[in-house]
Amino acid sequence: MSEFQGCQLPEDLHYDLDYVWARPEEDGTFTIGVTDPAQTMSGRLQKARIKKVGTHLEAGRHVATLESGKWAGGVPVPFAGAVIARNDALLENPHLINIDPYGDAWIARVRPDDPATALERLHTGPDAVAALQAWIKRYDVQCMRCSD
């Protein structure tokens, strides 16, 4: 895993180069979450609303809305698909995203309408890490993960 200015940037994930990551799963679905720099910029998350299982979303639509004391925003899906699971633990404790954004604090799992094109808008590997490092520099982020 790469680290830059305290921000963890796993090379094996796929990124929208803004604040969303996606991880392909063996069953053809994708787990969606927010990046470490994004959780740092948002501040301590206080509320999470996640679409219900079975909800169909077009690319760019929000699978979740997150709120902190200083920020509120949506988490877009990078491809059209159906929500097949959501992380209900975040509904009770959205602050988990500030603790473990790539692990226990995944937001939803989505089955893409077209698996062959699901990754077209996403980036991975060294090029994605370099682009995310530029994002971190541009916004002058120094990542911090909270504890319970």
Side-chain angles (χ1 to χ4, degrees), residues 93-117:
N93 189 4
H95 176 60
L96 290 173
I97 293 172
N98 300 114
I99 298 168
D100 189 15
Y102 301 115
D104 290 339
W106 59 275
I107 293 172
R109 289 187 61 206
V110 178
R111 181 175 310 285
D113 289 349
D114 184 1
T117 63

Side-chain angles (χ1 to χ4, degrees), residues 50-79:
I50 307 170
K51 298 290 185 183
K52 293 181 180 176
V53 171
T55 302
H56 185 271
L57 300 165
E58 293 301 321
R61 301 299 297 178
H62 297 161
V63 69
T65 303
L66 306 175
E67 295 179 26
S68 71
K70 66 178 187 174
W71 177 85
V75 179
V77 292
F79 48 78

